[in-house]
Structures are given as structure tokens and as C-alpha cells.
Amino acid sequence: MLNSAESYMWLRYLAVERMRHYHNQLRYKPDRTFFHLELHGSVLDNVQELKEALVQCSCLESIFLDHFQCNVATWNILQECIQILAMKKNAAAASSSSSTTSASKAPSSDHPHSHQRCSFKLQLRRIHILLEETTNSNTTDDNDSQILDTSGAFLAKRLSQLSHYLSELHVIDCDIPSYGAQVLFTTNSTHTKNTLDDDNQSIQSSLQLLSLEGNTAIGNIGMTFLAQALTAKGLPHLHTLSVERVGASHDGLCTLFDALRHHPHLLCLNILGNVMDLQTLQYLLDVLIQDNAILEQIQWDRSILSSTTNFNTTSSSSSNSTAASIPSPPTAPLPVMVTDPSSLSSCIDFWLRANRAGRRWIVQDSTSWSLPGALWPRILQRFNN
């Protein structure tokens, strides 16, 4: 059996061999569109050669950094590499989009998918930044030193600097704390060492998909910061949001639901793995009925109430995405209080399907004319009345 020193040397050997494998992959297939770097918890270093190989991949549009440790200097190199690749991809996408739209009508600005400036995707899972050796190092600036107490908070700050280059950002099981969420979501933070000018909307104005799955320390406080960003239009193009397993409960979820009243583009929401009850679902239903005609899919744990009620777990709001017509209304009257969990589930499903079908009916892309999708909430309000 290997002792600790021998085990460390063996892991280092495997890490070096894996890095050589990745370098060869990039060298012999430079036209790849996806790159997955996984080290099974080992320390990542000596990435300069990897960076030089990565930046030559002109077709790369997605990077998945998976399960490794690194120091701040190594992360700086990775961050610079991601920024270069994202700028290349976004410039190519913008060039292609401009040539396409010059021959056809530009998409309406109120359409949730009309923002096409950024198209690069970044996914992180179980990334740990080694901060002990950086306390007195010159590799950090004054702003970094304010949150260098945890790896997750450090990552949040650095990701806020990258987010305006990205269309999708997945931060999975990276121990982002609640105050790290504040750094990530604050709309008036600077995303470079230069201050923001008036032409920049926010640090996250380009994100269309954001996943914070598994960061259980975010909790209700972090959900409050996210809700503030949504309400203040700090994430104006976001259409998909996952807060699965972030340690939120009734108060945090209801704060998020309140923010949905003010966000015009969010179509898909994942709240699986958080603590919720019948009152939480009733609050969600009230928001759907009164103030939101945009949401099409909500993923939530329907088995939470099964221990005390005959809750319906056979249907799923995310499985009805192919609905082609407005369904029949549920038996429960709306918008009165629904006390039966099964009826409450049916009511939520009904309004999600109605949102999907209503906008498909209004916006007819196959014809020479179309009405704006923003008209559907007004029609639905008339229907409610």
C-alpha cells in the first residue's frame, strides 16, 4: 500500500501524463469545438503550453474545467486564455450575424433570444483555488485581497470579470458562499481594472444561461442578491436559470419569485433540491397568474410533499414543452387559494403550458407577418380579468 508521499508522487505523475494527453489532443485536432479538462482532484500547474495550444483552436466554443486544484497564478493564465477564446468566438459570431441580418429583417429587441453578441460557454465543476500561498503575494490586487478568505469567493470575483464575454456560465459544486454571490451578481461592479463607462450595462449583460447548481452555501442571502440583479436588470438577456441545490428555503425562493415579476425574458427555472412547501408553491402560482406570462418550464421536486399528501408526481412541468395549443383550465378556480397539492401542481402546469402555447400562437415565424411575443402577457391579463 502506498504511503502519503508515494501517493502524492503517483497523482502528480498521472496529472503530468494527462496534461500531455490534452496537449496532444489540441495539437492534432485544432478544429475541435469543445474542450474538457479533468484532473480528478489533482493540482493543475504548468499550463502555459496548454494555453498556447488552446488559443490556436479557432473553432472552440465551449470549455469544461472539471475537478482540479490550482493556485492564483495558474488561474490567471486560464482566465486570460478563456477571455482570448471567447473574444475570438464572439467576434466570429458577430461577423456571421451581421452578414445574415443584412439580408433579412433584424430580430425584435423584445424577443428573449434576440441577443446574439456572445456565444462562448464556460462550465466549472469542483474547482478549488489554493489561496494560502497568495496572502502576501504580488499576484493579487487590492480588490482581490478583500475576498481572499475562500476559494469560492475568489472564483466568484474572477467569474464576474469573465461573464460579459459569455453566453452560458455553469458553476457547479464550487463552494460559492452567499457573499461570493453578492460579488457575482452586483450590477455596478467593475469587470476589469478600468471603471465601467456609461455604455456598459453591467458585468453580466451577456449571460443567457446561468447555473449555480450545488453551491449550497449561497442560501437565502445569496438568493436575495440574485433577485436584486434580476429586478435591477443586471441580467437582461438571461432566459435560463438553475439554482438547484443552493441551500435556499421558502424565504429565498419567494424572494426569487418576486424578482420574476420584473424580468421580461426568463423562460426556464430550475429550483430542484431546495426546501419548499405548499406555501412556497402557492406563492409561485400567484406570481404566474398575476405578473408573469413568460416562464415556460419550472423544475421542482414534486416528491417533497408526498410524505404528508397525495401529491401528483407523475407529471412534470418540464415534460410538456411540446404542447401545441392552450390546454383546458384546471378544475380549481383561479386565482383563489389552492389547498390541495395535486390541484396546485395542475394549476402551475396549466399556466406554464399556456405561456408556451400563447407565444407560439402570437409569434408565427413561418408567415410573412408576426405579432411581438410581448403582446401575450397583455392578452393573458385580459383573459384573467
Side-chain angles (χ1 to χ4, degrees), residues 35-333:
F35 179 67
H36 182 191
L37 174 61
E38 181 181 14
L39 292 182
H40 301 287
S42 299
V43 176
L44 173 66
D45 53 16
N46 299 324
V47 295
Q48 189 61 43
E49 291 185 1
L50 181 67
K51 173 195 170 184
E52 294 173 358
L54 272 173
V55 296
Q56 299 302 317
C57 298
S58 57
C59 298
L60 202 63
E61 58 188 32
S62 180
I63 288 183
F64 184 7
L65 303 179
D66 191 4
H67 196 193
F68 61 77
Q69 307 174 59
C70 69
N71 58 30
V72 173
T74 299
W75 178 260
N76 288 341
I77 296 174
L78 286 175
Q79 181 171 332
E80 181 183 1
C81 177
I82 294 169
Q83 181 175 331
I84 293 173
L85 290 168
M87 292 176 65
K88 286 184 177 180
K89 176 60 179 176
N90 296 336
S95 176
S96 175
S97 176
S98 61
S99 62
T100 302
T101 55
S102 62
S104 61
K105 183 179 178 181
S108 172
S109 60
D110 62 359
H111 193 279
H113 301 285
S114 62
H115 182 70
Q116 301 292 340
R117 184 174 65 87
C118 292
S119 58
F120 198 80
K121 304 170 185 177
L122 175 63
Q123 183 169 345
L124 309 179
R125 182 172 63 187
R126 301 180 69 181
I127 303 300
H128 182 77
I129 307 298
L130 302 172
L131 301 174
E132 293 79 8
E133 61 192 68
T134 66
T135 305
N136 299 317
S137 174
N138 294 327
T139 59
T140 60
D141 56 29
D142 293 338
N143 293 329
D144 287 339
S145 64
Q146 297 176 6
I147 60 167
L148 279 183
D149 53 343
T150 69
S151 168
F154 179 89
L155 267 180
K157 177 176 176 58
R158 292 309 182 89
L159 291 174
S160 72
Q161 299 171 0
L162 283 173
S163 59
H164 61 290
Y165 295 105
L166 306 173
S167 64
E168 294 187 12
L169 176 60
H170 304 255
V171 189
I172 303 172
D173 295 324
C174 289
D175 298 321
I176 304 295
S178 58
Y179 57 93
Q182 181 182 20
V183 173
L184 187 60
F185 300 140
T186 299
T187 59
N188 60 356
S189 296
T190 55
H191 53 64
T192 64
K193 291 185 179 180
N194 300 321
T195 57
L196 286 170
D197 54 40
D198 294 336
D199 295 332
N200 290 322
Q201 289 181 315
S202 72
I203 58 175
Q204 298 196 340
S205 59
S206 297
L207 284 180
Q208 299 172 38
L209 183 151
L210 175 63
S211 174
L212 300 169
E213 178 184 341
N215 295 283
T216 56
I218 288 179
N220 291 340
I221 297 177
M223 294 289 275
T224 300
F225 295 131
L226 174 56
Q228 291 173 353
L230 291 172
T231 303
K233 299 182 179 179
L235 299 162
H237 303 285
L238 192 71
H239 60 70
T240 301
L241 173 64
S242 174
V243 287
E244 181 177 346
R245 296 185 294 110
V246 297
S249 61
H250 173 81
D251 292 341
L253 292 172
C254 289
T255 301
L256 178 63
F257 297 156
D258 268 330
L260 301 183
R261 305 176 190 269
H262 310 285
H263 196 279
H265 300 318
L266 193 67
L267 301 179
C268 305
L269 177 64
N270 182 355
I271 55 175
L272 284 168
N274 296 292
V275 179
M276 51 194 300
D277 54 21
L278 185 60
Q279 288 71 31
T280 311
L281 299 181
Q282 179 66 53
Y283 198 91
L284 171 60
L285 179 60
D286 293 341
V287 171
L288 287 174
I289 295 175
Q290 299 174 15
D291 296 289
N292 188 287
I294 292 296
L295 275 172
E296 295 184 350
Q297 298 181 22
I298 301 179
Q299 295 177 277
W300 52 283
D301 189 355
R302 294 167 181 263
S303 65
I304 292 178
L305 300 177
S306 61
S307 58
T308 57
T309 61
N310 295 322
F311 195 72
N312 181 15
T313 60
T314 59
S315 64
S316 172
S317 60
S318 61
S319 64
N320 296 317
S321 58
T322 59
S325 60
I326 299 179
S328 301
T331 56

